[in-house]
Structures are given as C-alpha cells and as structure tokens.
Amino acid sequence: MAKDSSDLFGALFDPPSPTRTVPVLVPMPAPGPYSYAVPEDMVVETGSVVQVPLGPRQVFGVVWDDAGEKSVDPKKLRPITKSFECPPLKTEMRRFIDWVAAYTLSPPGLVARMALRAPAAFDPEPMIEGLRLTEGRPERLTPARERVMELAAEGHGWTKSGLAHAAGVSTSVVDGLVKQGVFETVFLPAPPVVAEPDPDYAEPRLEGPQRQAASEILEDVRKGGFHVSLIDGVTGSGKTEVYFEAVAETLRQGKQVLILLPEIALTAAFLDRFHDRFGARPAEWHSDLSPRMREKVWRQAVTGEVKVVAGARSALFLPFDNLGLIIVDEEHDPAYKQEDRVYYNARDMAVVRARIADFPVVLVSATPSVESQVNGSSGRYNTIHLHTRFGDAAMPDLHLVDMRRHPPERGGFLSPVLLRGIGKTIEKGEQALLFLNRRGYAPLTLCRVCGHRFQCPQCSSWLVEHRFRNQLQCHQCGHSEPTPDHCPECGTFDHLVACGPGVERIAEEVERHFPEARTIVLSSDLMGVKRLRLELEAIVKGEADIVIGTQLVAKGHNFPLMTLVGIVDADLGLANGDPRAAERTFQLLSQVTGRAGRTGLKSHGLLQTYQPQHPVMQAIVSGDASAFYEREIVEREKAVLPPFGRLASVIVSADTRAEAETHARGLRAAAPQVTGIMLLGPAEAPLALIRGRHRFRLLVHGRRNSDMQSFLRTLLANGPKERGSVHVQLDIDPQSFL
C-alpha cells in the first residue's frame, strides 16, 4: 500500500536512523566517555571533534577510543549533532590525555577540555576577500598604480591592505584600480598567524662550549626517538642559542616544535631573539591572547601550518599535527605547576608527552630542579653542562651583607653597604637592581594603640597595603578595600602603622636616598603586560638607573647596563615549612643575581641576610652549586622526599570548619593499610581559610615505587562521599604546602 502525503513528508524530513554507537568524551567531570549514536549520513572516526547533546545543552566532545560497549542499542541513544571539519585528535594525543587523567586522578573530560580550548576553531577558517589582476588597464597609469600592477603581475591573489602596503601606496590607489576593472574579487585562504621560520636564516653565534653543547643536542635530535636532554648552564651561558639549534634541526625534518616558557606574556626579548635567528616569530599561546588569535593558533597548530609555538604551560595540550620536539625553558620554575581543576606539572607532563609520541625533549635551566639533577646523575637524562658565560663575560662577585653587623637606619630596610653600592653604580652610569619578592607597600598594617591587625574577611591572611593605589588587598582572593585613616576596632586616628617592606616601600626609601635617580618598580599588580614590556624595553635602553622588582625580574631578562643586584631580604623564602624552601631560595637568588654583568661589565651582587652561615647563602656566594645540590640530594634521600619518595596532597574544603574537618577525618579513617605508604593528618592547612572556604589537608607519603594512585582511589572509594559544600581536591606531586 502506498504511503500517503504525510508519510512521504515524514520520510523526507525525519533524521536518518542511527546505525552504530561511539564513545564521546565531553568536557565535564565525568569518569569516562558517554555513548552516542552516529546518524547514517555522518562520518566520524576515533578522535573526531563533534557536537553532542548533554541534557538540555549542546556541547563539544571527542570521539574516544572504543570502550567496549557493543551491546548498546543505537536507537536508545541520542545522536551526535554535528561533526566538525577539523582534523581528528591523533592516537598519541588521546593516549596522553588518558595518561594525565590517570596519573593526576582527574576526570578525563576535564583533561580533554584543555586540548579543546578554542571551540570556535573547530570549523575551517572562512576565506577572506582578495584581489587578482585582470587583463584590464587603467585610463591613466601613474607611478603608484604601476607599482601596484607590477606586484600583482605574477597572478597571485592579494588582500587590498597587503597589496597597498607592499607597493608603498594608500588603499585608495588600489580602490581606483578596482573601479576601473583592473582587479577582480577573489577569495583567499586566511593568512598564517606567523611567517614560517627558516632554520638557516641566520648563522648561529656559538663559541667553543656552546658549539660542543649544540653538537650533542643535534646528535640527539638526529637520532630520533624519545630521550631527555638537560642543558645545565649558568646565567648568560648561551643556553637559548644552543637549543635553537635543536629547533632548527627539527624544522629541517619537517616537524613542529613547542617551546614552553614560564611567563610567555613577559618574554618579548625571547620572541625577538627567535626572530633574529629564524627570520620570523613563533606563534604565541598564553592567557593574554585575544580569543580570535587563540582560535587561529589552535587551528593552524592542528593543521600543521604553524611550525613553532612558544607558550605557557597550557600550550602542552595543543593537539599538534606533527610535533617533533619540546623545549622546557627554566624547567625548575614553579609556574609550570597548575593548581586549578587539573593539578599537573607541565615539565613532567612534557616528558610524558614526548615519551608517548617517541620524540626528544630538552629541559633547560641555570638552576635545575633537584629531580632533574638526580635524573641526570643517574643517566636517565643526558646532562649538558655550560659552566661559563658567553663571550667570556664574568659572573658577578657575590657578597653577603650581615644585617646584624650592618643594620639599616631606623625605619629603613637597606643597609649602608647596599646604599653605598647603589651610589657608586649610578655614578658610573650603570644600573642597579633591588630584588624583593613581596608586592605592595607592606605585608601587614596594625594599630599601635589596640594592636588590631587588618585581615581579609574571607581568608586567613593579612591585607597587604598597596600605597600607590591607596588600598588594602588580599593576595589570596583579591578582596580589596580603601586604606582607612583610623582603626576600625578602637577608632583612633593616625596610629596605623605599616609593618615590613614591599617593593613600593623600598621604592620610597630609594627615592629618599637618591632623589635624582630614575627609578622603575616592576610588579605584576602595578601594570598590565603591555606596560610591563615597555618598562623592560626602557631598562634595556638604559632609561632607568635603579630597578626595584619582584620575581618578574628573575626570568630570563638581559639588561646590558645592569652591574649591581641587591637582594633586600635573602632570608624571605626560608621562613616556612616547605621542604623545597632551600632549593627554591637558591634557584631564585641565583637567577636574580645572574641578571648582573651579562655583557661583560664588572658586576656585583649584595645579599642582605640575618643568616649568613645558612648553607643556601654560603652556596650562592661561593658559586659552588654542585655542593648545594649534593647536600640537598642527601637530605632528600634521608627523608625519602621527592625524587626518592612520593607525595600527594588531599585538600578538603567546605563552607564551615566542622564540615571540612569531619570529612577529612572520615577520609583518614577509611585509609587502606598499605606497606610503604603513610597518611599524615588531617590538619588545618597553613592558609586555613581561602575565599570563605575552610581547608583541611592530608599528606600521603610513600616510597618511590609506591602505587600512590591506587591508594588514593581506594581512600576515596571507601571514604565519605562529597555532600553539601564539601569538595575534595587531589594534588599528586604537590609543589605548594600552603
């Protein structure tokens, strides 16, 4: 019997019947992928980026590896809505996402989300309107028109602005030719975000030690396959130029390169150096990128158009088409640790990604982490040493200033020794750098009458005075309030006192002693990235006499006239219970003092300390880094701390202290008994209150071969479930103990 018209209408417009099912990983904290049906007219494969319904919403996801759900009836599943036209995620990228999720005990969907950070880039970029020369000729041929037509004579399409710029004319000249039919409209593919780097653009400037190091790196890259090289070189030794040779060789092989930097938004100098060597800048990937540029970089990394990306830690999750090398510059830097949603260390995950995809990775630092030092000495990493500076520039002469013998004047924080050094430096037309890793004017404000201390209402931390902005601010949650003129507790006026120094207070003291000097304060809370780059350029050009900065100044900057570095409070990083305190203090102070004398000028470093006999201080001034590392490694091994043991942190937070403590104690009671693993706590975290949430923590300590992940899975499975405001966060290999 023939169908009636309504049956025909239904046959024409009903969606096709699904024929198969696929697992799709969606960007949410689910334990695994969900099953979806594939419509008959849709072609998807493992790794395809798709759009699927999730509840009332449409979300993007990735067709994941077969989860073995063969018995699911496709008719009972919701169908995939759309398959995007971008290349599918490769097998090694999917394996990497699964590995990170399993290691960090994070939902795989949240890890996959980091690889799909630009949803607008999933479809091909639209063509752009351009112009192409026709057979027509203008009524009158001016020199400007002739230049335009000569450029376009080869038959290639041009954008209007690009053609006008190349010919050195205004766009109105091109518009006139279009009106006369000399050009026709065509559609062109979108231009690349950066020009393609040329590995042979400039001859590398390498001396004896650098040439030897570069030859070792090149040998590793040419061999292919997975291996890790550690470039351990003093500040100014030419480490960047050495690993540029590895980049060049990888480009010659037709592969892509990822260069990880701890602060890409602040490293304009690095981008310029890359341009000088390769004739083009790398594509950038960091939080300061505009959404439009983020889309372009993501899309062109996936298609292989972008050959080199320089980025912050999140760039590690870009799904490259043919990645062949990862460089991790300043590999020791704590900024590589992400402590939000998915807790991971980008340095360690870079090694994992290289191992999964079977290509080399290069770690670079003047002060390598203890973990990398141990891996180098054990033969797991190939260590390449650069003991001298490029161009025979000498390292700065470092001296300790014992603040017990040379105290500052009353109300001040700079010793007479350091002040004399600053005066002599600026008299010679050179620059001095004062380093204090503390933002604002003062870390604490109190009332001299009643003792009231200004504390954040949402966090267990003091409010920091920022005098330049006339504010008190919490550096944990961002809460701020105007600086009061009286005590809110006792009402007394003019008796509030700032305790301790920040960079703003040091700037005030410098201004008092050197009123004619040109001073710049570098701190992340005082300026945006663009202004910061301008300030750094001004320092390089010699437009400042005294620079006062936080740890921003420690990261790879090259200041030609900088000959004195003064550390205002060298003991600051040692005043906590962090097991990495000595290592981090050594690294930070070594990096900061390394800013001096990089161009060969005689340079000095003065470290103000109340603990001149501390091993860290002695190691820095002696220049004997190996002795420091040997001592630190022995101490770590005795205590079975990383890399000889393993740590994991379990942070329990809730709206009330009682909820957090009860849940933490419940987890402790549910802990399995495992040989070689010890559970410590629960105890209130040093920062017990952040953003109004109370925090308790448990610390898991195990031997190097301990199965920490299985222990934690069992702990969570047996323990109380998260209810109400309770939230549990796991941090494998924690870097922060606050």
Side-chain angles (χ1 to χ4, degrees):
M1 182 177 176
K3 294 181 179 180
D4 62 20
S5 59
S6 61
D7 290 333
L8 291 172
F9 184 87
L12 287 171
F13 291 95
D14 283 348
S17 300
T19 58
R20 67 186 179 104
T21 67
V22 292
V24 176
L25 196 60
V26 294
M28 63 171 291
Y34 294 135
S35 293
Y36 284 88
V38 182
E40 282 185 348
D41 61 347
M42 184 180 291
V43 177
V44 298
E45 60 181 296
T46 307
S48 292
V49 182
V50 295
Q51 179 179 293
V52 295
L54 186 67
R57 299 178 297 143
Q58 292 287 330
V59 300
F60 59 85
V62 185
V63 177
W64 215 242
D65 297 270
D66 189 2
E69 296 182 12
K70 303 293 185 183
S71 60
V72 182
D73 183 356
K75 295 179 181 179
K76 296 181 179 179
L77 297 175
R78 302 176 77 179
I80 295 173
T81 311
K82 177 181 180 180
S83 178
F84 293 98
E85 294 183 41
C86 65
L89 265 62
K90 294 181 175 291
T91 302
E92 56 263 27
M93 188 65 195
R94 300 194 305 276
R95 286 179 58 203
F96 176 60
I97 290 171
D98 280 336
W99 198 98
V100 173
Y103 185 81
T104 62
L105 297 177
S106 302
L110 292 185
V111 182
R113 182 182 184 181
M114 296 191 292
L116 303 173
R117 291 289 297 274
F122 296 161
D123 280 322
E125 191 165 5
M127 304 283 276
I128 60 173
E129 191 174 293
L131 301 172
R132 185 168 58 202
L133 194 66
T134 67
E135 296 296 326
R137 289 294 175 266
E139 298 172 359
R140 185 168 60 89
L141 188 62
T142 64
R145 288 178 170 180
E146 188 173 5
R147 290 199 304 275
V148 171
M149 293 171 63
E150 284 177 0
L151 276 174
E154 295 180 4
H156 302 304
W158 288 79
T159 62
K160 182 173 71 173
S161 59
L163 182 58
H165 178 74
V169 302
S170 67
T171 54
S172 62
V173 174
V174 181
D175 288 334
L177 292 171
V178 172
K179 288 179 182 177
Q180 296 186 39
V182 177
F183 285 95
E184 63 180 351
T185 299
V186 294
F187 287 93
L188 309 171
V193 290
V194 288
E196 186 167 334
D198 178 2
D200 302 308
Y201 176 78
E203 189 73 21
R205 293 178 57 245
L206 301 174
E207 296 179 345
Q210 290 80 27
R211 276 196 299 271
Q212 177 61 33
S215 67
E216 289 190 51
I217 289 287
L218 286 173
E219 184 180 347
D220 289 342
V221 173
R222 287 166 181 159
K223 279 191 303 189
F226 168 71
H227 51 267
V228 184
S229 299
L230 170 64
I231 302 179
D232 176 6
V234 298
T235 54
S237 60
K239 298 183 294 295
T240 304
E241 283 69 21
V242 169
Y243 74 67
F244 275 173
E245 295 314 293
V247 173
E249 181 59 28
T250 306
L251 292 174
R252 293 186 189 104
Q253 295 174 3
K255 298 178 181 179
Q256 294 167 290
V257 179
L258 169 62
I259 303 174
L260 291 179
L261 300 161
E263 297 284 352
I264 180 63
L266 307 176
T267 50
F270 169 82
L271 302 176
D272 290 339
R273 289 171 73 178
F274 189 94
H275 181 277
D276 291 343
R277 173 63 180 86
F278 296 99
R281 286 191 168 205
E284 297 180 56
W285 182 269
H286 52 82
S287 58
D288 198 47
L289 277 186
S290 67
R292 180 71 175 140
M293 182 56 69
R294 182 179 292 270
E295 294 164 20
K296 285 176 173 285
V297 173
W298 191 94
R299 185 185 293 113
Q300 294 181 20
V302 172
T303 59
E305 294 172 77
V306 161
K307 299 302 180 186
V308 182
V309 174
R313 60 177 181 252
S314 60
L316 184 62
F317 290 89
L318 281 172
F320 289 90
D321 173 57
N322 187 21
L323 187 60
L325 175 69
I326 298 178
I327 308 287
V328 185
D329 205 348
E330 307 288 359
E331 63 88 26
H332 68 278
D333 199 292
Y336 284 124
K337 177 73 175 189
Q338 173 163 300
E339 296 178 332
D340 179 39
R341 291 178 177 263
V342 179
Y343 283 44
Y344 70 90
N345 189 312
R347 176 200 64 209
D348 298 341
M349 296 305 107
V351 174
V352 171
R353 182 163 186 185
R355 186 184 67 191
I356 290 173
D358 197 30
F359 59 73
V361 59
V362 179
L363 310 181
V364 186
S365 179
T367 53
S369 63
V370 168
E371 288 85 350
S372 294
Q373 289 279 11
V374 171
N375 283 328
S377 61
S378 66
R380 296 182 67 189
Y381 295 174
N382 173 35
T383 304
I384 299 168
H385 296 283
L386 288 169
H387 297 296
T388 59
R389 282 184 158 182
F390 183 81
D392 293 326
M395 295 294 291
D397 293 330
L398 302 181
H399 302 279
L400 298 177
V401 179
D402 188 339
M403 297 294 278
R404 298 167 301 180
R405 297 177 56 194
H406 306 284
E409 65 181 31
R410 184 177 178 83
F413 300 93
L414 303 178
S415 74
V417 176
L418 182 53
L419 290 172
R420 285 195 298 271
I422 296 171
K424 291 178 181 177
T425 300
I426 60 179
E427 281 177 12
K428 293 187 291 184
E430 296 168 358
Q431 294 172 326
L433 168 65
L434 297 181
F435 170 77
L436 176 62
N437 201 21
R438 188 182 277 154
R439 293 178 288 153
Y441 183 85
L444 169 65
T445 301
L446 57 79
C447 174
R448 283 182 291 194
V449 175
C450 70
H452 173 75
R453 300 185 177 196
F454 287 82
Q455 183 172 339
C456 176
Q458 303 180 83
C459 303
S460 51
S461 60
W462 307 124
L463 291 177
V464 177
E465 181 182 357
H466 288 259
R467 190 160 292 188
F468 291 178
R469 298 202 305 261
N470 194 35
Q471 283 185 334
L472 298 177
Q473 185 176 12
C474 173
H475 287 176
Q476 302 302 322
C477 70
H479 167 83
S480 63
E481 55 190 60
T483 303
D485 56 3
H486 66 280
C487 175
E489 189 72 23
C490 67
T492 306
F493 282 81
D494 301 326
H495 277 74
L496 300 181
V497 59
C499 300
V503 287
E504 294 178 17
R505 194 167 195 175
I506 298 303
E508 183 179 87
E509 186 173 351
V510 165
E511 176 70 21
R512 190 166 65 249
H513 288 284
F514 307 101
E516 302 301 319
R518 299 168 298 175
T519 303
I520 287 180
V521 179
L522 294 181
S523 178
S524 58
D525 58 339
L526 292 177
M527 58 193 74
V529 171
K530 289 184 179 178
R531 182 182 163 191
L532 188 54
R533 286 181 170 178
L534 291 174
E535 299 280 30
L536 290 170
E537 289 175 11
I539 297 168
V540 171
K541 294 175 184 176
E543 296 173 0
D545 301 312
I546 303 173
V547 180
I548 303 161
T550 61
Q551 63 180 358
L552 288 179
V553 300
K555 303 192 179 194
H557 306 298
N558 186 11
F559 304 132
L561 294 177
M562 191 73 68
T563 59
L564 174 67
V565 171
I567 309 297
V568 176
D569 187 354
D571 307 323
L572 182 60
L574 300 172
N576 60 54
D578 189 336
R580 291 187 176 88
E583 177 192 4
R584 288 198 174 147
T585 300
F586 175 79
Q587 289 166 339
L588 185 58
L589 299 186
S590 297
Q591 293 279 344
V592 174
T593 53
R595 298 310 104 201
R598 294 168 69 95
T599 55
L601 295 173
K602 180 70 173 174
S603 59
H604 304 273
L606 297 174
L607 290 77
Q608 296 190 156
T609 175
Y610 288 92
Q611 306 177 67
Q613 300 307 314
H614 194 286
V616 172
M617 302 305 156
Q618 291 298 315
I620 291 172
V621 295
S622 68
D624 191 354
S626 60
F628 169 78
Y629 280 113
E630 286 173 12
R631 177 185 175 278
E632 191 69 12
I633 288 169
V634 167
E635 293 296 324
R636 296 272 186 97
E637 192 167 14
K638 284 181 183 176
V640 198
L641 289 172
F644 305 101
R646 300 194 61 196
L647 293 175
S649 179
V650 183
I651 303 106
V652 181
S653 64
D655 288 344
T656 67
R657 187 182 187 279
E659 280 184 292
E661 184 176 12
T662 300
H663 194 92
R665 292 191 180 282
L667 288 176
R668 172 61 189 255
Q673 296 299 313
V674 177
T675 303
I677 293 183
M678 178 172 53
L679 183 62
L680 306 172
E684 273 194 314
L687 287 173
L689 183 69
I690 293 182
R691 294 181 175 88
R693 292 183 63 81
H694 296 264
R695 304 166 74 241
F696 276 76
R697 65 184 290 140
L698 300 102
L699 190 65
V700 186
H701 181 206
R703 298 194 174 275
R704 185 168 186 166
N705 58 354
S706 301
D707 190 348
M708 193 74 74
Q709 280 76 7
S710 292
F711 176 88
L712 289 167
R713 287 191 192 98
T714 304
L715 174 73
L716 295 179
N718 296 345
K721 306 308 174 191
E722 295 180 35
R723 290 187 177 88
S725 67
V726 174
H727 177 66
V728 178
Q729 179 64 59
L730 303 179
D731 185 0
I732 308 294
D733 306 326
Q735 297 290 310
S736 170
F737 291 84
L738 297 178

